[in-house]
Amino acid sequence: MGARPTAVQIVITGTVTCIGKAVFAAGLTGLLDAVYWKPVQAGIQEGADSETVALLAGLSADRVLPEAWRLTEPLSPHRAAELDGVEIDAEALTLPPTDRPLIVEGAGGLMVPLNRHTLYIDVFARWNAPIVLCARTALGTINHTLLSIEALRARSIPLLGVVFIGDRVVDTQKTIAQMGKVRVLGRLPFLRSLTPGTLSASMQELFRATDFIGVDK
């Protein structure tokens, strides 16, 4: 018998922190009927992103994989780990095999340190899984997004495309697409009422599963 085919693996990262990346990750996990994993969670006292994603995507426990590292303080992972008296072993972070598509959520942006030697982007380069880059539509996003695109391409990391989060800003979105020579996968607006139902409906309306995994869902 041959080896079992590997399920689709997609890494979600952002241009900056606190832009709604976890909400989009929840939406995409639901849209693709996937499994969710956040390897490193810093700030567990404020609630873990895995809990938010499980609630918003309506996931059973077996579709939310446990974090490799759970850190107390809501800081950069390298510093949060130091305060907890540990050091993140970045080399030990490997993509887990799954039967369903796997959605992996990073912490903050690409250049977030995991320890004093390794950035998250270094781990992404080793994984070589397609990246979905979440970008806000507010002022400053052109610079942040183009820098992130350049960093990914400098390391030959596959970039699936950009997802915008926030209000529609036509010129900003167009400028990033043109100057970054990147595919725009869609835009998730801020939802006045954020519930599993409203998120699922928005994802179904605004995104196509085929743009992420190449098959109809």
Side-chain angles (χ1 to χ4, degrees):
M1 295 179 62
R4 185 180 64 185
T6 302
V8 171
Q9 298 170 323
I10 298 172
V11 175
I12 309 295
T13 190
T15 55
V16 293
T17 192
C18 297
I19 60 172
K21 176 166 52 68
V23 174
F24 175 75
L28 187 61
T29 302
L31 183 69
L32 302 186
D33 195 22
V35 170
Y36 170 86
W37 184 46
K38 182 156 188 172
V40 179
Q41 174 67 61
I44 57 174
Q45 292 180 337
E46 298 182 355
D49 284 341
S50 60
E51 297 166 359
T52 299
V53 170
L55 176 64
L56 289 176
L59 303 179
S60 56
D62 62 312
R63 290 175 58 191
V64 181
L65 303 182
E67 299 93 337
W69 295 90
R70 289 174 61 89
L71 307 169
T72 306
E73 300 297 329
L75 301 170
S76 174
H78 80 289
R79 185 57 182 152
E82 289 174 349
L83 293 176
D84 280 353
V86 297
E87 180 176 321
I88 295 172
D89 183 357
E91 289 298 319
L93 292 177
T94 58
L95 293 174
T98 57
D99 293 322
R100 299 172 185 262
L102 174 67
I103 305 301
V104 182
E105 183 188 352
L110 295 167
M111 298 296 181
V112 168
L114 290 171
N115 53 44
R116 294 287 172 178
H117 314 285
T118 309
L119 302 171
Y120 232 130
I121 195 171
D122 299 323
V123 174
F124 293 162
R126 175 162 55 82
W127 288 347
N128 199 40
I131 297 282
V132 172
L133 181 63
C134 291
R136 60 181 183 175
T137 57
L139 183 65
T141 195
I142 293 176
N143 177 66
H144 295 155
T145 306
L146 294 181
L147 282 172
S148 296
I149 291 170
E150 185 172 302
L152 289 167
R153 288 179 176 157
R155 292 164 175 80
S156 300
I157 301 173
L159 176 59
L160 196 58
V162 171
V163 167
F164 290 106
I165 298 175
D167 298 330
R168 183 169 179 258
V169 184
V170 175
D171 186 72
T172 293
Q173 296 169 218
K174 179 180 178 181
T175 299
I176 289 171
Q178 291 181 340
M179 300 193 75
K181 297 180 175 60
V182 65
R183 182 168 60 146
V184 174
L185 297 166
R187 179 181 63 87
L188 182 64
F190 297 125
L191 302 177
R192 291 186 178 181
S193 174
L194 180 57
T195 67
T198 59
L199 180 58
S200 176
S202 294
M203 293 296 298
Q204 293 286 345
E205 176 186 356
L206 301 171
F207 296 91
R208 298 184 304 177
T210 52
D211 286 339
F212 296 91
I213 62 175
V215 297
D216 290 325
K217 297 292 292 182

